[in-house]
Amino acid sequence: QGRNAKVYDLVASNIGAFPPHIQLQALGALEFSDNRTYAKAVEPLLTSDDVFVQDCASRALARIGTAESVPALMANGRAEAKRAMGLIDVTGVDSALEKIAANSDDGNKRAAAIDALAIRGRRDLLPAFFTYAADENRATATAAAQAIGSIGDISNLGQLVDLMISKETAPVSRDLLNATVAIMRRSTDQAKAVDILVGKMNGASPRSQANILHALVQTGSNEALQPLVDACHSSDEDLQKTAVKLLAGWKTNNGIPAMLELASADSTSLPNHVVLMRGVSRLLAAERPNKLNIDQAKMALDTCRRDEERQAIQATLDKVK
């Protein structure tokens, strides 16, 4: 209606009486009205029986909401509501969310507030997020770990790994591992990031060392390959087994020479040898025939101790012929 103010007012004042499919259209109009006074008309729809209406109301409040919209969005708790709290661009929202994150007795509400603060890019709250990540409440700790992973950088990596090590038996350790991987993948200095993680392996338990190896491997960086190979020689049997499995799952063919060297060693057990040769076979089979390194494939054939792996590699060579 040409952005007619009277039409907007009529829509806002009657939106609660509309059927859901009309409410969705009305919310779409109010979302782009640029008029925050309509937030009060939109907030009640966060409790609608129709979840599509709820989410549409949250999206509208992301643009026209106020600090007073935070309690209604918090009560809704859906993903769109959390996103809306992270996007409302008015004074008072940050302080309201910080207060909930610090003082609420409800772990889920604290988690929602932390999620929203991370969306708002509050890097100044990273010290608080580390404290929350050590919280006994799983929802709070998980949200804080995810927040660190989403807005942290390499300067936070050492502290993050230290926390992961201290929480190695807690459920949040997996979230802290994912946060570590997220930061490493964004890092523009992979060598430095790898050095930080490798440095933390010294003195850590085999379980924590295995977690660090998982973080190194999931980044897929070339710098992470050598520490993984070194761990394959660990005197701890479980850590060695984990390292061999991770090396065999390496995603690119630059891992083949290390796999072959380790698989050909007399000290390598047959189970570890088989795992490594299957990794080699997988990488060779993934190569385009015209790109396959024939000499490397023949070396792999000579390294095999069992016919099963030898046959798989020979099948790859046959395709080239």
Side-chain angles (χ1 to χ4, degrees):
Q1 297 296 319
R3 298 179 67 84
N4 187 299
K6 291 183 178 180
V7 175
Y8 274 128
D9 289 342
L10 284 170
V11 169
S13 60
N14 291 281
I15 194 169
F18 297 154
H21 69 284
I22 300 298
Q23 286 178 333
L24 291 173
Q25 296 181 53
L27 286 167
L30 296 180
E31 178 180 355
F32 296 98
S33 67
D34 297 326
N35 190 334
R36 295 190 186 276
T37 63
Y38 296 144
K40 285 299 180 185
V42 172
E43 289 163 15
L45 297 185
L46 291 170
T47 60
S48 169
D49 293 334
D50 189 316
V51 293
F52 293 107
V53 171
Q54 292 180 32
D55 288 347
C56 196
S58 293
R59 286 192 289 271
L61 290 172
R63 291 182 63 93
I64 64 169
T66 68
E68 295 178 356
S69 303
V70 170
L73 289 165
M74 186 65 66
N76 177 273
R78 289 175 57 80
E80 284 291 346
K82 295 176 185 178
R83 177 178 173 275
M85 289 188 289
L87 295 178
I88 299 176
D89 188 19
V90 293
T91 302
V93 174
D94 286 273
S95 59
L97 292 171
E98 289 177 53
K99 186 177 295 184
I100 294 170
N103 303 320
S104 178
D105 294 328
D106 187 326
N108 290 326
K109 287 186 176 180
R110 294 184 70 195
I114 292 167
D115 286 342
L117 288 167
I119 293 172
R120 299 178 78 80
R122 293 293 304 277
R123 280 188 48 81
D124 59 306
L125 293 179
L126 279 167
F129 291 159
F130 273 100
T131 299
Y132 299 149
D135 197 276
E136 293 300 318
N137 181 272
R138 178 65 193 278
T140 300
T142 294
Q146 292 173 345
I148 296 168
S150 66
I151 63 175
D153 59 26
I154 195 170
S155 67
N156 308 114
L157 197 53
Q159 185 180 359
L160 182 56
V161 177
D162 285 338
L163 183 58
M164 181 176 70
I165 291 173
S166 70
K167 291 288 186 179
E168 66 174 16
T169 60
V172 74
S173 65
R174 179 58 56 182
D175 303 307
L176 295 168
L177 172 59
N178 292 337
T180 301
V181 172
I183 290 177
M184 289 195 69
R185 284 177 173 167
R186 289 199 306 273
S187 174
T188 56
D189 190 345
Q190 285 292 313
K192 181 178 180 180
V194 168
D195 285 344
I196 291 173
L197 263 68
V198 172
K200 296 297 182 181
M201 291 183 70
N202 297 327
S205 70
R207 181 170 180 171
S208 285
Q209 289 187 48
N211 282 339
I212 292 172
L213 288 178
H214 276 286
L216 289 170
V217 169
Q218 290 184 55
T219 64
S221 66
N222 292 333
E223 292 85 356
L225 183 57
Q226 188 56 49
L228 182 59
V229 172
D230 293 341
C232 290
H233 299 284
S234 172
S235 58
D236 184 277
E237 187 175 342
D238 290 337
L239 179 60
Q240 182 189 100
K241 184 177 179 180
T242 297
V244 167
K245 183 178 179 180
L246 290 171
L247 178 59
W250 196 255
K251 297 294 190 293
T252 54
N253 60 10
N254 68 324
I256 290 178
M259 293 184 206
L260 289 176
E261 181 178 356
L262 187 59
S264 64
D266 293 337
S267 59
T268 300
S269 67
L270 180 59
N272 283 346
H273 170 88
V274 170
V275 170
L276 289 165
M277 292 312 300
R278 287 179 177 175
V280 171
S281 177
R282 172 183 53 81
L283 290 173
L284 290 175
E287 285 284 2
R288 293 181 179 178
N290 63 332
K291 296 291 185 180
L292 182 68
N293 186 325
I294 302 297
D295 291 336
Q296 194 173 65
K298 289 180 177 180
M299 185 184 301
L301 278 177
D302 294 337
T303 303
C304 289
R305 298 181 192 175
R306 302 196 321 167
D307 287 340
E308 290 91 334
E309 287 73 46
R310 188 177 292 109
Q311 289 169 2
I313 294 172
Q314 185 63 56
T316 298
L317 278 169
D318 291 344
K319 290 179 182 180
V320 176
K321 292 179 183 179

